[in-house]
Amino acid sequence: MTSAVHSAHHNDVVKGLGRAGMACYGAVYVIIAYLALQVAFGGGGQEADQTGALQEIASTPFGAVILWVLAIGLLAFGVWQLLMAAVSYQWHEGRKRVFKRLGAGVRGIVGISLGIAAIRIATGNGSQSGDQKQKQMTAELMALPAGRFLVGAIAVGVIAAGIASIVSGFRKSFMKDLDTSDLPKPRVVERLGQIGYIAKGLGIAIVGVLLGIAALDANASEAGGLDSALRTLANQPFGTVLLVVVAAGFAAFGTYAIAAAKAHRT
C-alpha cells in the first residue's frame, strides 16, 4: 500500500495535474477577492466564499465549461495534497513535517469538496454555501454529548490554524516548500505569498472566533464560514478599509498559488 502511494505521488501525470489544480485553487481565491470587494462596498452578488466563487463563475458565459475544468483541477489538487499528506515534506523534520502533512490533508479535503461542489453547480444541482454548511455542522456537533466543548475545541484549532498561516506569512516559511529555481521572479512570488498567507490566516482566525462564540452561547446560528467572517470584519470600525485590504490579500494569495504551482516541491 505504501509503495503504491509513493508511486502515485511521484507519477509525472499526477504531479502535473496536481500543479494545474493548485493554479485552479488560486483562481478561486482571486474570485473570492472580487466578491469580498462587493461586500466591502455594499454590493449584492454571491457569498464571499469558495462556493460563492464557483457560483459566480457559473453566472458567466461558458460558465458550465469553466466549472468542469475547475472541477477536474480541484479534484486533482485534492488527490495530490492527500498524497503529499501521506508521504511528502521530507525536507522538513519532526513536528514541522507533521504539521505540514496535516495542512496538506486539510487542503486535500477542501480541494475534493470544492471539486464536487463545482460539479454539482455545473450540473444544476446546486451546493450549500459555506455559511450554511458551517451552521449545520455546528448544530450537529452541539447535539452530541459535550457538544459545546467539542465545538469550542474545534474553534481553538481553527484559530490556531489561522495564526499559523499569519506566522508563515511573516516568516516567509512557505518559501521552503518551493524550488525557487523554477520561479521567474522569486521575490515577487515571495511578497505575494507573504501578503496572501497573512490575509488568509486572518479570515481563518475570524471563522474560528465565530465558532467559539457559537460554543459559548450554545447557538449554532452564530457560527459561520468565510462569508460571515468577512461581513463581521466589514461591520467593525474602518471595516470597509479593512475588508479592502483583506480582499487584496486574497487576490495576492490566489496569484501566489497560480505562480508557485510549477515550483512547489513534491
Side-chain angles (χ1 to χ4, degrees):
M1 181 65 178
T2 303
S3 176
V5 172
H6 274 283
S7 296
H9 173 244
H10 292 293
N11 183 278
D12 288 339
V13 174
V14 172
K15 288 193 289 187
L17 287 171
R19 294 182 194 280
M22 183 173 172
C24 292
Y25 182 67
V28 169
Y29 267 90
V30 172
I31 298 169
I32 292 174
Y34 163 71
L35 297 176
L37 286 175
Q38 288 190 327
V39 173
F41 294 106
Q46 307 293 345
E47 291 193 351
D49 58 14
Q50 290 92 335
T51 305
L54 296 175
Q55 290 170 337
E56 181 71 15
I57 292 169
S59 68
T60 64
F62 307 107
V65 175
I66 297 171
L67 278 176
W68 277 107
V69 173
L70 278 176
I72 294 169
L74 290 167
L75 289 171
F77 174 69
V79 172
W80 184 47
Q81 289 298 299
L82 290 177
L83 289 171
M84 291 191 71
V87 298
S88 190
Y89 293 102
Q90 301 298 334
W91 55 92
H92 292 288
E93 297 180 354
R95 287 186 301 175
K96 186 69 173 178
R97 183 189 299 168
V98 173
F99 288 134
K100 283 288 185 178
R101 287 182 171 180
L102 285 173
V106 172
R107 286 191 298 275
I109 294 170
V110 170
I112 290 173
S113 298
L114 287 176
I116 293 171
I119 292 172
R120 289 181 60 84
I121 294 170
T123 55
N125 292 318
S127 182
Q128 275 187 312
S129 71
D131 276 1
Q132 290 174 328
K133 290 177 183 177
Q134 192 78 286
K135 287 178 170 61
Q136 181 180 334
M137 181 188 73
T138 304
E140 291 172 354
L141 289 173
M142 282 190 178
L144 299 173
R148 287 176 64 186
F149 295 101
L150 179 58
V151 172
I154 292 172
V156 172
V158 173
I159 293 170
I163 293 172
S165 180
I166 293 170
V167 171
S168 179
F170 277 112
R171 292 184 174 177
K172 310 175 191 176
S173 57
F174 56 88
M175 292 298 291
K176 294 179 182 177
D177 299 328
L178 304 181
D179 184 349
T180 55
S181 64
D182 285 334
L183 294 173
K185 294 184 179 180
R187 288 298 180 89
V188 174
V189 173
E190 179 183 87
R191 188 53 54 88
L192 287 170
Q194 272 192 286
I195 298 169
Y197 270 92
I198 292 169
K200 182 168 171 259
L202 179 60
I204 292 171
I206 296 174
V207 170
V209 170
L210 293 176
L211 268 176
I213 293 171
L216 288 172
D217 294 344
N219 185 357
S221 66
E222 294 181 341
L226 182 59
D227 181 71
S228 286
L230 296 178
R231 293 180 191 276
T232 298
L233 189 62
N235 290 330
Q236 305 310 306
F238 306 104
T240 298
V241 175
L242 290 172
L243 195 48
V244 168
V245 171
V246 171
F250 284 162
F253 180 80
T255 307
Y256 158 80
I258 295 168
K262 182 183 177 182
H264 203 289
R265 298 173 69 181
T266 60

